[in-house]
Amino acid sequence: MRLTLLITILFVGSYCSLTQANKSQCYGTTAQGRIEHSVKLPAKGTNFVSYSGLAGALGRTYVHADVAKIMLAAYGSLALSHPNKVYKYAETGLKHGGKFKPHKTHQNGLSVDFMVPVTNPRGESVHLPTHAFNRLGYDIEFDNNSQYKNLSIDYPAMAAHLVTLDKAAKQRGFKLTRVIFDPQLQPELFKTPHGAYLKQHIVFSTKRAWVRHDEHYHVDFAIPCKP
C-alpha cells in the first residue's frame, strides 16, 4: 500500500510540473517541422531512465508537452501493473525541433525512440546498455533469436508498454500514429498476451526502415499541428 502511494505521488508530481508548463505547439510533420514551447523529459523516474545524461544535457530529449504527459502517465501505470520491469527511452528531438541528425524524422516533438526492454540470464528486467562505445545503444544488433550477448528482448514488457502508451494517448484525445520496429521481430511481439490488442489498435511498420530498429522501437504520436 505504501509503495503504491509513493509511486503515485512521484508520477503525479512529474505530471503536474509538465501540466503547468507552456502549452506546446508543433508545426509541419515529423520529417519536416518544428515546435514551440517543448518540454524536456525527466532523466529518470521510478521505473525508467534516459539513455544518456550527456545527450540530455546537449538538448536531445525534448518533446511536445502532451507527448511527455502520455509517456509519464504510461510509466506510472506500468510501475503499478508491472513493478518488476524497467524501461529506457532514447532520442526524441531538439528544443525547437528541426533537423535532428542522424534521424530522418524527430523534427516536431512527436517522435520518441524507446530502447527495447531486456532480461538477463536470470530472467530479471534490466536496462539495455547505452554508452559511447555502442553509439548510445544504437549500434547494438540482436540476432534472429532476439539475443544480444547475454540479454534477451523482453517482448511481454515491450508489448505492455505499447498498450499502455496507446491507452494513455487515447485518454487524452490522441493516439499513436505508428510504431517502427524490425518486421522480422514483430511476430514475437504479437505472440505475447497483448498481441491481439497490438494488431487491432496500433499501426506497425511492415517494411524495414533505413536502419533496422531492433534495439529500439520508434513511436510517432498523432497530435494536431499547424502547417
Side-chain angles (χ1 to χ4, degrees), residues 27 33 47-48 56 60 64 66 70 79 83 90 107 111 118 122 128 136 139-140 145 149 152 169 189 203 216:
Y27 296 86
N47 60 346
F48 72 91
R60 297 180 69 85
H64 192 289
D66 286 317
I70 292 167
Q107 291 199 22
S111 301
V118 293
R122 294 184 296 276
L128 191 69
L136 302 180
D139 277 346
I140 290 174
N145 294 318
K149 295 184 176 180
S152 304
L189 193 61
V203 176
H216 78 280

mmCIF file of all heavy atoms in Angstrom, residues 27 33 47-48 56 60 64 66 70 79 83 90 107 111 118 122 128 136 139-140 145 149 152 169 189 203 216:
data_model
loop_
_atom_site.group_PDB
_atom_site.id
_atom_site.type_symbol
_atom_site.label_atom_id
_atom_site.label_comp_id
_atom_site.label_asym_id
_atom_site.label_seq_id
_atom_site.Cartn_x
_atom_site.Cartn_y
_atom_site.Cartn_z
ATOM 1 N N TYR A 27 4.559 22.182 -35.519
ATOM 2 C CA TYR A 27 4.341 22.656 -36.884
ATOM 3 C C TYR A 27 4.857 21.617 -37.875
ATOM 4 O O TYR A 27 5.865 20.954 -37.624
ATOM 5 C CB TYR A 27 5.071 23.977 -37.129
ATOM 6 C CG TYR A 27 4.568 25.123 -36.292
ATOM 7 C CD1 TYR A 27 5.061 25.333 -35.010
ATOM 8 C CD2 TYR A 27 3.608 26.017 -36.780
ATOM 9 C CE1 TYR A 27 4.612 26.389 -34.230
ATOM 10 C CE2 TYR A 27 3.152 27.087 -36.009
ATOM 11 C CZ TYR A 27 3.656 27.259 -34.733
ATOM 12 O OH TYR A 27 3.208 28.305 -33.956
ATOM 13 N N GLY A 33 9.522 19.700 -39.786
ATOM 14 C CA GLY A 33 8.724 20.518 -38.883
ATOM 15 C C GLY A 33 9.548 21.182 -37.812
ATOM 16 O O GLY A 33 10.779 21.154 -37.823
ATOM 17 N N ASN A 47 10.580 3.790 -12.631
ATOM 18 C CA ASN A 47 10.840 2.589 -13.432
ATOM 19 C C ASN A 47 11.430 2.893 -14.796
ATOM 20 O O ASN A 47 11.428 2.036 -15.681
ATOM 21 C CB ASN A 47 9.556 1.783 -13.596
ATOM 22 C CG ASN A 47 8.472 2.587 -14.306
ATOM 23 O OD1 ASN A 47 8.571 3.807 -14.440
ATOM 24 N ND2 ASN A 47 7.428 1.910 -14.748
ATOM 25 N N PHE A 48 11.953 4.103 -14.997
ATOM 26 C CA PHE A 48 12.516 4.446 -16.306
ATOM 27 C C PHE A 48 13.728 5.362 -16.150
ATOM 28 O O PHE A 48 13.894 6.044 -15.140
ATOM 29 C CB PHE A 48 11.473 5.132 -17.196
ATOM 30 C CG PHE A 48 11.126 6.539 -16.776
ATOM 31 C CD1 PHE A 48 11.825 7.634 -17.290
ATOM 32 C CD2 PHE A 48 10.111 6.779 -15.872
ATOM 33 C CE1 PHE A 48 11.507 8.934 -16.903
ATOM 34 C CE2 PHE A 48 9.785 8.074 -15.479
ATOM 35 C CZ PHE A 48 10.483 9.159 -16.000
ATOM 36 N N GLY A 56 21.021 14.267 -22.857
ATOM 37 C CA GLY A 56 20.008 15.147 -22.283
ATOM 38 C C GLY A 56 20.551 16.548 -22.074
ATOM 39 O O GLY A 56 19.879 17.547 -22.358
ATOM 40 N N ARG A 60 18.855 16.816 -26.415
ATOM 41 C CA ARG A 60 18.311 15.856 -27.370
ATOM 42 C C ARG A 60 17.110 15.072 -26.830
ATOM 43 O O ARG A 60 16.709 14.067 -27.410
ATOM 44 C CB ARG A 60 19.408 14.882 -27.816
ATOM 45 C CG ARG A 60 20.548 15.583 -28.558
ATOM 46 C CD ARG A 60 21.624 14.602 -28.992
ATOM 47 N NE ARG A 60 21.177 13.704 -30.044
ATOM 48 C CZ ARG A 60 21.201 13.991 -31.346
ATOM 49 N NH1 ARG A 60 21.631 15.184 -31.754
ATOM 50 N NH2 ARG A 60 20.810 13.098 -32.241
ATOM 51 N N HIS A 64 6.942 17.346 -27.357
ATOM 52 C CA HIS A 64 5.680 18.074 -27.165
ATOM 53 C C HIS A 64 5.189 17.803 -25.745
ATOM 54 O O HIS A 64 5.310 16.683 -25.238
ATOM 55 C CB HIS A 64 4.671 17.575 -28.188
ATOM 56 C CG HIS A 64 3.427 18.386 -28.315
ATOM 57 N ND1 HIS A 64 2.451 18.413 -27.334
ATOM 58 C CD2 HIS A 64 2.984 19.198 -29.316
ATOM 59 C CE1 HIS A 64 1.456 19.199 -27.726
ATOM 60 N NE2 HIS A 64 1.752 19.694 -28.920
ATOM 61 N N ASP A 66 2.294 17.326 -24.531
ATOM 62 C CA ASP A 66 1.308 16.243 -24.427
ATOM 63 C C ASP A 66 1.965 14.878 -24.588
ATOM 64 O O ASP A 66 1.520 13.897 -23.972
ATOM 65 C CB ASP A 66 0.203 16.431 -25.467
ATOM 66 C CG ASP A 66 -0.747 17.555 -25.101
ATOM 67 O OD1 ASP A 66 -1.132 17.648 -23.921
ATOM 68 O OD2 ASP A 66 -1.099 18.355 -25.990
ATOM 69 N N ILE A 70 1.810 11.871 -21.798
ATOM 70 C CA ILE A 70 1.433 10.496 -22.151
ATOM 71 C C ILE A 70 2.500 9.521 -21.685
ATOM 72 O O ILE A 70 2.201 8.476 -21.079
ATOM 73 C CB ILE A 70 1.221 10.381 -23.673
ATOM 74 C CG1 ILE A 70 -0.021 11.174 -24.106
ATOM 75 C CG2 ILE A 70 1.087 8.912 -24.099
ATOM 76 C CD1 ILE A 70 -0.136 11.373 -25.609
ATOM 77 N N ALA A 79 4.403 1.117 -13.562
ATOM 78 C CA ALA A 79 5.026 0.934 -12.250
ATOM 79 C C ALA A 79 4.105 0.182 -11.305
ATOM 80 O O ALA A 79 4.568 -0.514 -10.393
ATOM 81 C CB ALA A 79 5.390 2.294 -11.659
ATOM 82 N N PRO A 83 5.530 -3.923 -11.715
ATOM 83 C CA PRO A 83 6.508 -3.286 -10.819
ATOM 84 C C PRO A 83 7.933 -3.811 -10.941
ATOM 85 O O PRO A 83 8.870 -3.135 -10.497
ATOM 86 C CB PRO A 83 5.938 -3.567 -9.423
ATOM 87 C CG PRO A 83 5.097 -4.800 -9.594
ATOM 88 C CD PRO A 83 4.498 -4.670 -10.957
ATOM 89 N N ALA A 90 15.004 6.805 -25.441
ATOM 90 C CA ALA A 90 16.203 7.251 -26.131
ATOM 91 C C ALA A 90 15.966 8.609 -26.800
ATOM 92 O O ALA A 90 15.372 9.496 -26.209
ATOM 93 C CB ALA A 90 16.660 6.181 -27.122
ATOM 94 N N GLN A 107 11.341 15.760 -35.865
ATOM 95 C CA GLN A 107 11.506 17.198 -36.077
ATOM 96 C C GLN A 107 10.476 18.088 -35.393
ATOM 97 O O GLN A 107 10.703 19.288 -35.264
ATOM 98 C CB GLN A 107 11.512 17.502 -37.584
ATOM 99 C CG GLN A 107 12.751 16.979 -38.292
ATOM 100 C CD GLN A 107 12.983 17.643 -39.629
ATOM 101 O OE1 GLN A 107 12.503 18.753 -39.894
ATOM 102 N NE2 GLN A 107 13.727 16.978 -40.503
ATOM 103 N N SER A 111 7.970 12.481 -32.035
ATOM 104 C CA SER A 111 8.651 11.200 -32.242
ATOM 105 C C SER A 111 9.504 10.846 -31.034
ATOM 106 O O SER A 111 10.217 11.699 -30.503
ATOM 107 C CB SER A 111 9.554 11.258 -33.482
ATOM 108 O OG SER A 111 8.825 11.559 -34.648
ATOM 109 N N VAL A 118 14.865 -5.478 -21.830
ATOM 110 C CA VAL A 118 15.561 -6.764 -21.929
ATOM 111 C C VAL A 118 15.615 -7.454 -20.575
ATOM 112 O O VAL A 118 15.410 -6.832 -19.527
ATOM 113 C CB VAL A 118 16.999 -6.581 -22.468
ATOM 114 C CG1 VAL A 118 16.985 -6.118 -23.913
ATOM 115 C CG2 VAL A 118 17.793 -5.611 -21.601
ATOM 116 N N ARG A 122 19.059 -14.499 -15.724
ATOM 117 C CA ARG A 122 18.221 -14.912 -14.590
ATOM 118 C C ARG A 122 16.761 -14.505 -14.780
ATOM 119 O O ARG A 122 15.929 -14.720 -13.902
ATOM 120 C CB ARG A 122 18.764 -14.310 -13.289
ATOM 121 C CG ARG A 122 20.140 -14.837 -12.893
ATOM 122 C CD ARG A 122 20.581 -14.276 -11.541
ATOM 123 N NE ARG A 122 20.753 -12.837 -11.582
ATOM 124 C CZ ARG A 122 21.868 -12.224 -11.995
ATOM 125 N NH1 ARG A 122 22.905 -12.956 -12.420
ATOM 126 N NH2 ARG A 122 21.971 -10.920 -12.001
ATOM 127 N N LEU A 128 19.011 -2.037 -21.239
ATOM 128 C CA LEU A 128 19.952 -2.245 -22.325
ATOM 129 C C LEU A 128 21.104 -1.255 -22.139
ATOM 130 O O LEU A 128 20.875 -0.066 -21.908
ATOM 131 C CB LEU A 128 19.258 -2.004 -23.661
ATOM 132 C CG LEU A 128 20.007 -2.426 -24.931
ATOM 133 C CD1 LEU A 128 20.097 -3.948 -24.998
ATOM 134 C CD2 LEU A 128 19.299 -1.876 -26.164
ATOM 135 N N LEU A 136 25.552 4.975 -27.950
ATOM 136 C CA LEU A 136 24.402 5.152 -27.058
ATOM 137 C C LEU A 136 23.329 4.085 -27.286
ATOM 138 O O LEU A 136 22.133 4.360 -27.160
ATOM 139 C CB LEU A 136 23.815 6.561 -27.200
ATOM 140 C CG LEU A 136 24.800 7.700 -26.910
ATOM 141 C CD1 LEU A 136 24.117 9.059 -27.082
ATOM 142 C CD2 LEU A 136 25.385 7.582 -25.511
ATOM 143 N N ASP A 139 24.096 1.077 -31.886
ATOM 144 C CA ASP A 139 24.909 0.132 -32.652
ATOM 145 C C ASP A 139 24.680 -1.317 -32.238
ATOM 146 O O ASP A 139 25.257 -2.239 -32.826
ATOM 147 C CB ASP A 139 26.404 0.461 -32.493
ATOM 148 C CG ASP A 139 26.852 1.569 -33.437
ATOM 149 O OD1 ASP A 139 26.099 1.892 -34.372
ATOM 150 O OD2 ASP A 139 27.946 2.117 -33.229
ATOM 151 N N ILE A 140 23.851 -1.538 -31.237
ATOM 152 C CA ILE A 140 23.560 -2.901 -30.784
ATOM 153 C C ILE A 140 22.773 -3.650 -31.856
ATOM 154 O O ILE A 140 21.861 -3.085 -32.479
ATOM 155 C CB ILE A 140 22.782 -2.883 -29.452
ATOM 156 C CG1 ILE A 140 23.705 -2.413 -28.320
ATOM 157 C CG2 ILE A 140 22.178 -4.239 -29.127
ATOM 158 C CD1 ILE A 140 23.003 -2.223 -26.995
ATOM 159 N N ASN A 145 17.296 -14.731 -32.820
ATOM 160 C CA ASN A 145 16.682 -15.282 -31.609
ATOM 161 C C ASN A 145 16.448 -14.215 -30.551
ATOM 162 O O ASN A 145 16.196 -14.538 -29.393
ATOM 163 C CB ASN A 145 17.567 -16.393 -31.032
ATOM 164 C CG ASN A 145 17.656 -17.593 -31.934
ATOM 165 O OD1 ASN A 145 16.660 -18.024 -32.503
ATOM 166 N ND2 ASN A 145 18.864 -18.134 -32.098
ATOM 167 N N LYS A 149 24.436 -10.692 -26.795
ATOM 168 C CA LYS A 149 25.304 -11.179 -25.724
ATOM 169 C C LYS A 149 24.465 -12.037 -24.778
ATOM 170 O O LYS A 149 23.897 -13.034 -25.188
ATOM 171 C CB LYS A 149 25.999 -10.015 -25.022
ATOM 172 C CG LYS A 149 26.968 -9.266 -25.940
ATOM 173 C CD LYS A 149 27.732 -8.180 -25.202
ATOM 174 C CE LYS A 149 28.745 -7.521 -26.129
ATOM 175 N NZ LYS A 149 29.511 -6.451 -25.448
ATOM 176 N N SER A 152 18.182 -10.778 -23.550
ATOM 177 C CA SER A 152 17.084 -11.172 -24.432
ATOM 178 C C SER A 152 16.021 -10.079 -24.447
ATOM 179 O O SER A 152 15.728 -9.478 -23.408
ATOM 180 C CB SER A 152 16.435 -12.476 -23.946
ATOM 181 O OG SER A 152 17.382 -13.507 -23.839
ATOM 182 N N ALA A 169 -2.566 7.743 -24.452
ATOM 183 C CA ALA A 169 -2.783 8.733 -25.500
ATOM 184 C C ALA A 169 -4.275 8.921 -25.764
ATOM 185 O O ALA A 169 -4.776 10.053 -25.853
ATOM 186 C CB ALA A 169 -2.066 8.300 -26.778
ATOM 187 N N LEU A 189 6.477 -10.222 -30.829
ATOM 188 C CA LEU A 189 5.695 -9.244 -30.078
ATOM 189 C C LEU A 189 4.217 -9.610 -30.094
ATOM 190 O O LEU A 189 3.513 -9.503 -29.085
ATOM 191 C CB LEU A 189 5.906 -7.858 -30.687
ATOM 192 C CG LEU A 189 5.452 -6.625 -29.918
ATOM 193 C CD1 LEU A 189 6.168 -6.516 -28.581
ATOM 194 C CD2 LEU A 189 5.693 -5.378 -30.748
ATOM 195 N N VAL A 203 -0.754 0.694 -35.399
ATOM 196 C CA VAL A 203 -0.197 0.507 -36.739
ATOM 197 C C VAL A 203 1.312 0.297 -36.635
ATOM 198 O O VAL A 203 2.034 1.147 -36.099
ATOM 199 C CB VAL A 203 -0.492 1.721 -37.639
ATOM 200 C CG1 VAL A 203 0.174 1.550 -38.998
ATOM 201 C CG2 VAL A 203 -1.992 1.928 -37.796
ATOM 202 N N HIS A 216 15.776 -0.700 -30.713
ATOM 203 C CA HIS A 216 14.823 0.309 -30.242
ATOM 204 C C HIS A 216 13.570 0.276 -31.103
ATOM 205 O O HIS A 216 13.567 -0.268 -32.202
ATOM 206 C CB HIS A 216 15.444 1.712 -30.257
ATOM 207 C CG HIS A 216 15.516 2.346 -31.625
ATOM 208 N ND1 HIS A 216 16.507 2.044 -32.545
ATOM 209 C CD2 HIS A 216 14.712 3.263 -32.230
ATOM 210 C CE1 HIS A 216 16.317 2.756 -33.637
ATOM 211 N NE2 HIS A 216 15.230 3.491 -33.483
#
